[in-house]
Amino acid sequence: MRLTRGFFERDVLKVAPSMLGKLLVVRKAGKLEKRLITEVEAYRGEEDLASHARFGKTKRNQIMYATAGVIYVYLVYGIYWMLNVVTGQKGDPQAVLIRGLDGIKGPGRVGKLLGIDKSFYGEDLTKSERIWIEEISGKIDGKILRLPRVGVDYAGEWAKKKWRFMLDRF
DNA sequence: AGCAAGATCGGT
DNA sequence: CCGATCTTGCTG
């Protein structure tokens, strides 16, 4: 069953770990690509110096201030599309970066596999016909690891926060 | 207008 | 360790 608005409207530190073990579904060339989400990172508010929202609202990050459940994508290093989900209350910039799927490690590879590009910016996960997240039947066993976020050394103390979550056995 | 750096990855 | 490749946000 597809996740609805309420799931994403909670604080990002609640949403991020609860996205683990959910199924990311993307329609690609007419076929549905379904993968378990195994690793995510939380970015929380303008005060979070690791977040793109640290400069306040800009053209690139404006979607982070929108209603939860929409997608934030951006290009890093001129090559890789990063797939994020906006969370929390409207006006409060929060997002979850999807860093890994079952069998796919690394956010750059996730974007590449799923064919993510600029056209996904602002897509609504609760309504879209080509991308959404589903609850799976049954339970995922194993614990959730909490680790520091990757590639944000410039963020000082904020780089040390353990806002990266991953399923132990993947 | 110009520039340095980037929520990465693959090859040396 | 380094290059790829291009957008972004800051500086002047």
Side-chain angles (χ1 to χ4, degrees):
Chain A
M1 219 180 73
R2 182 191 293 234
L3 297 180
T4 53
R5 192 78 63 204
F7 178 88
F8 301 105
E9 280 178 332
R10 298 171 295 148
D11 189 278
V12 69
L13 293 179
K14 286 280 192 182
V15 179
S18 62
M19 278 173 61
L20 297 174
K22 298 291 190 289
L23 207 54
L24 177 61
V25 186
V26 177
R27 190 184 306 279
K28 198 186 161 193
K31 293 182 182 175
L32 294 184
E33 177 81 36
K34 298 191 175 192
R35 298 265 183 170
L36 217 56
I37 297 171
T38 57
E39 184 178 356
V40 297
E41 272 176 4
Y43 289 85
R44 189 171 186 271
E46 294 182 346
E47 70 274 20
D48 177 2
L49 296 183
S51 172
H52 287 169
R54 66 186 180 280
F55 302 119
K57 191 189 275 189
T58 66
K59 185 181 177 190
R60 175 173 68 168
N61 70 23
Q62 55 172 314
I63 202 68
M64 293 177 78
Y65 294 77
T67 301
V70 297
I71 287 178
Y72 170 41
V73 288
Y74 64 91
L75 191 63
V76 256
Y77 302 109
I79 306 176
Y80 303 104
W81 289 98
M82 302 285 105
L83 175 61
N84 298 255
V85 179
V86 174
T87 72
Q89 292 304 118
K90 188 173 180 179
D92 182 15
Q94 301 188 342
V96 176
L97 168 65
I98 298 179
R99 289 194 59 88
L101 304 173
D102 186 13
I104 309 291
K105 291 182 199 250
R109 288 166 154 187
V110 168
K112 187 175 179 188
L113 170 89
L114 301 175
I116 300 301
D117 61 25
K118 192 169 196 141
S119 73
F120 282 81
Y121 189 92
E123 189 100 355
D124 191 340
L125 284 174
T126 69
K127 294 177 180 165
S128 175
E129 294 299 316
R130 60 174 176 161
I131 185 167
W132 62 90
I133 298 177
E134 287 178 8
E135 187 85 58
I136 61 163
S137 52
K139 225 185 154 188
I140 296 291
D141 53 325
K143 65 177 181 181
I144 292 174
L145 301 178
R146 297 175 77 253
L147 303 162
R149 292 175 292 181
V150 175
V152 294
D153 290 344
Y154 56 80
E157 291 299 309
W158 292 88
K160 296 174 186 168
K161 293 192 178 297
K162 294 181 175 178
W163 287 358
R164 172 182 166 211
F165 306 90
M166 68 187 294
L167 288 176
D168 198 4
R169 64 189 174 86
F170 286 88

